[in-house]
Amino acid sequence: MSEAGLKPGGGIKPELPFKPVRVAVLTVSDTRDEATDTSGQILVERIYAAGHELAGRIVVRDDIEKIRAQVRAWIASKSVDAIVTTGGTGLTGRDVTVEALEPLFDKKIDGFSVVFHLVSYASVGLSTLQSRATAGLIDGVFVFCLPGSNGAVKDGWDKVISAQLDSRHKPCNMVELMPRLLEQ
């Protein structure tokens, strides 16, 4: 497929009002700390550059219960609209972010993985098969799980997440859904 075949429709309408989103960044790693967490830092910089609020940032080990505990704490705080994780989506035995979070999803956002792999394929080719990037909703909070590489984080934020967390993106965006996510 040609690059033109992957060009997305829609776009930002700058004349519309911007609504900042409160985004938390969770890095899952046994080898990084906040000082060496380059992928988390990339996300933080992009969150601020987009005009959003950084609602939290932490590095946790590749441990299902520690990942769940941090995500649950942020959700319970009611001060987070979206969580972006980086790391732990690969195929090795220590990659457990997907196992930690998918069981908590009230709804899985199936299209996220599809679109992430399309843009990732353009960057890394068939190596995208080694990622289990996923997304879903937990108690009205969007959760996006990205691989830990800097390139994957840039692709995921720049080419997928950022537009959907921008209230000016049309024909639609996830921000406009936020007031209705917990409807019964």
Side-chain angles (χ1 to χ4, degrees):
M1 189 179 299
S2 71
E3 185 68 31
L6 294 177
K7 186 172 175 22
I12 304 297
K13 304 291 184 189
E15 67 275 12
L16 296 175
F18 176 77
K19 297 175 189 167
V21 174
R22 300 168 299 175
V23 184
V25 174
L26 175 64
T27 298
V28 179
S29 177
D30 287 340
T31 59
R32 296 181 189 177
D33 58 24
E34 193 165 323
T36 59
D37 175 23
T38 55
S39 59
Q41 186 60 35
I42 288 167
L43 284 168
V44 168
E45 291 167 4
R46 279 163 162 72
I47 288 164
Y48 283 131
H52 298 302
E53 175 187 332
L54 181 65
R57 177 185 180 190
I58 194 164
V59 178
V60 300
R61 295 185 58 78
D62 291 276
D63 178 277
I64 289 174
E65 290 310 316
K66 289 180 182 186
I67 297 165
R68 286 181 180 167
Q70 184 58 58
V71 168
R72 285 178 173 143
W74 277 332
I75 291 169
S77 76
K78 305 290 187 204
S79 63
V80 174
D81 301 311
I83 298 168
V84 182
T85 74
T86 173
T89 63
L91 300 174
T92 72
R94 295 293 298 153
D95 291 319
V96 296
T97 302
V98 176
E99 288 76 13
L101 297 179
E102 277 191 346
L104 303 182
F105 289 172
D106 300 313
K107 294 187 178 183
K108 188 173 178 188
I109 305 171
D110 294 313
F112 173 78
S113 181
V114 173
V115 174
F116 173 81
H117 285 293
L118 283 172
V119 300
S120 178
Y121 180 76
S123 295
V124 298
L126 290 174
S127 295
T128 191
L129 294 175
Q130 296 179 30
S131 167
R132 298 179 299 140
T134 189
L137 283 167
I138 304 173
D139 293 332
V141 174
F142 291 106
V143 179
F144 302 95
C145 303
L146 296 173
S149 76
N150 291 349
V153 165
K154 290 173 185 176
D155 281 348
W157 179 267
D158 296 347
K159 299 176 183 174
V160 187
I161 299 169
S162 65
Q164 282 298 292
L165 292 184
D166 192 320
S167 57
R168 302 166 300 170
H169 186 272
K170 296 298 174 189
C172 56
N173 60 74
M174 291 179 173
V175 177
E176 63 195 18
L177 300 176
M178 288 179 179
R180 299 178 38 223
L181 293 175
L182 296 175
E183 288 178 339
Q184 296 290 324

